[in-house]
């Protein structure tokens, strides 16, 4: 009868190799594969969003081939010095945006990185409508600088509110001082202004009522509004922040209108500068809230307004094309490169 083999000792033999008790690393998790696949699937979506403004602009050009062709031909014969002046004025838009962003936040931000983030935000604006791309880049920048999410969100809200109020104030001042305001009345459809305003007021009232009556919505909204009001009071208690916030908010529409004036002068648009500024302010205020990628709704309204003020359709189209070329299309590639550099440097 054979003896049973000796049982393995409970403790390792002295001097012998210790048993391998470390857990073996498992293979790649299914979540990692799903996440990698989702990122790969998101690339076509991002590419489609980036190409949407170009596709819409191409569709408009095909639908209006004679006007678009004549506008491009006129743009090639534009005065290069006026276009160069328009490019120089375009650079001031990012400075004004950086000043307004700093003025909306009590925390001090590094000026160079803030200016670079606003330049990169212009490229992100082509992927998302309604300025959401710029707000997303700015929010990420503020978070990496250690600003809490509630304060960063409140600063973006204050920035947007200041820009809206400043643009409306500048428009009212030009309407009061410019006799061209009579032509703006011809652009409004008869009998539709009051119903449109009533419908907009009704939508705002219903939204406010829903927020105030639904408790799951009321609590976070009141908390966000309370924090935003506290930050707004702190910002307006500092003269430097007040000057940066409202000075930048007022300067932005004027600088953008200045670019349009330079492009119009290079093409011999034939309109006084204050008419061009008023057309820019009116078109941006009227349809600036329409969520369209690349500002296409504003461009269409701007061409219509310039023609209503007395400009020819071809020259007005060429002026808007040149304006969009200087403010958006030419800075798009450098802005995308700066955006990529800021992401790699973990600034965003």
């Amino acid at each position: 009868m054979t003896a049973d083999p000796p049982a393995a000792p409970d403790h390792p033999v002295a001097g012998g190799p210790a048993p391998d008790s470390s857990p073996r690393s498992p293979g790649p998790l299914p979540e990692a594969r799903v996440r990698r696949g989702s990122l790969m699937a998101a690339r076509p979506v991002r590419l489609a969003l980036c190409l949407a403004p170009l596709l819409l602009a191409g569709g408009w050009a095909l639908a209006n081939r004679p006007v678009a062709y004549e506008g491009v031909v006129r743009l090639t014969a534009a005065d290069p010095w006026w276009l160069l002046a328009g490019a120089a004025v375009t650079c001031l838009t990012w400075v004004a945006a950086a000043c307004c962003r700093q003025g909306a936040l009590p925390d001090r931000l590094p000026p160079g990185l803030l200016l670079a983030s606003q330049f990169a935000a212009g490229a992100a604006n082509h992927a998302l409508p309604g300025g959401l791309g710029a707000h997303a880049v700015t929010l990420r920048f503020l978070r990496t600088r250690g600003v809490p999410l509630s304060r960063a969100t409140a600063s973006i809200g204050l920035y947007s509110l200041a820009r809206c109020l400043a643009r409306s104030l500048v428009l009212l001042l030009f309407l009061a001082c410019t006799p061209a305001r009579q032509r703006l009345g011809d652009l409004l459809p008869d009998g539709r202004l009051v119903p449109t305003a009533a419908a907009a007021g009704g939508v705002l009232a219903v939204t406010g009522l829903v927020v105030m009556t639904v408790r799951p919505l009321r609590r976070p909204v009141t908390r966000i509004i309370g924090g935003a009001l506290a930050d707004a009071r702190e910002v307006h208690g500092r003269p430097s922040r007040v000057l940066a916030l409202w000075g930048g908010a007022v300067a932005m529409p004027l600088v953008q209108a200045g670019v349009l004036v330079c492009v119009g002068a290079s093409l011999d648009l034939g309109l006084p500068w204050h008419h061009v500024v008023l057309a820019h302010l009116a078109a941006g205020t009227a349809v600036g809230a329409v969520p369209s990628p690349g500002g296409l709704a504003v461009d269409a309204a701007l061409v219509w307004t310039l023609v209503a003020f007395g400009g020819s359709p071809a020259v007005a189209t060429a002026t808007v094309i040149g304006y969009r070329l200087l403010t958006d299309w030419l800075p798009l590639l450098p802005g995308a490169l700066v955006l990529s550099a800021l992401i790699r440097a973990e600034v965003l």
Side-chain angles (χ1 to χ4, degrees):
M1 183 174 181
T2 59
D4 295 335
D10 294 338
H11 302 284
V13 180
D20 187 10
S21 60
S22 59
R24 295 182 179 180
S25 59
L29 298 176
E31 290 81 4
R33 297 194 188 99
V34 173
R35 183 176 300 176
R36 188 179 297 110
S38 62
L39 290 177
M40 295 295 292
R43 290 181 180 179
V45 177
R46 292 197 298 267
L47 181 60
L49 290 175
C50 293
L51 294 179
L54 297 179
L55 294 177
L56 291 175
W60 178 88
L62 289 177
N64 301 270
R65 286 188 297 271
V67 176
Y69 176 76
E70 187 176 354
V72 172
V73 170
R74 286 179 179 271
L75 188 60
T76 57
D79 188 352
W81 293 107
W82 274 112
L83 292 180
L84 185 61
V89 176
T90 301
C91 297
L92 298 178
T93 57
W94 302 307
V95 178
C99 291
C100 192
R101 294 283 188 187
Q102 175 62 88
L105 191 70
D107 307 74
R108 181 173 177 79
L109 301 173
L113 292 179
L114 177 59
L115 182 61
S117 70
Q118 295 311 294
F119 181 64
N125 248 359
H126 286 267
L128 295 174
L132 296 179
H135 292 331
V137 171
T138 302
L139 181 63
R140 183 60 182 170
F141 172 72
L142 296 179
R143 294 291 291 134
T144 56
R145 304 311 302 178
V147 180
L149 180 60
S150 59
R151 176 168 286 184
T153 306
S155 71
I156 292 176
L158 181 58
Y159 167 86
S160 303
L161 180 61
R163 282 196 59 184
C164 180
L165 293 178
R167 188 182 190 94
S168 301
L169 178 61
V170 174
L171 175 60
L172 292 177
L173 290 177
F174 267 85
L175 288 175
C177 302
T178 307
R181 61 182 179 272
Q182 298 177 355
R183 296 192 177 185
L184 287 179
D186 299 336
L187 298 176
L188 298 176
D190 296 335
R192 296 185 182 181
L193 181 60
V194 174
T196 303
V203 170
L204 293 177
V206 170
T207 304
L209 183 61
V210 170
V211 170
M212 294 305 297
T213 54
V214 180
R215 181 173 297 180
L217 293 177
R218 183 175 69 248
R219 289 181 176 178
V221 169
T222 53
R223 184 170 60 251
I224 293 174
I225 293 177
L229 291 177
D231 288 344
R233 285 194 298 267
E234 184 177 355
V235 163
H236 286 83
R238 304 180 185 182
S240 59
R241 293 292 191 270
V242 173
L243 180 61
L245 175 63
W246 294 103
V250 170
M252 288 183 69
L254 294 177
V255 170
Q256 292 170 350
V259 178
L260 187 66
V261 170
C262 292
V263 177
S266 69
L267 294 167
D268 194 15
L269 181 60
L271 296 179
W273 68 269
H274 51 276
H275 286 195
V276 179
V277 173
L278 182 58
H280 182 276
L281 294 173
T285 303
V287 297
V290 177
S292 61
L296 295 179
V298 178
D299 293 346
L302 190 53
V303 172
W304 187 31
T305 309
L306 290 175
V307 172
F309 279 174
S312 66
V315 180
T317 303
T319 301
V320 175
I321 292 175
Y323 167 77
R324 192 57 63 186
L325 179 68
L326 292 179
T327 56
D328 286 340
W329 298 340
L330 285 182
L332 181 58
L333 180 59
L337 295 177
V338 171
L339 179 62
S340 177
L342 292 178
I343 294 176
R344 291 178 181 273
E346 297 184 353
V347 176
L348 297 178

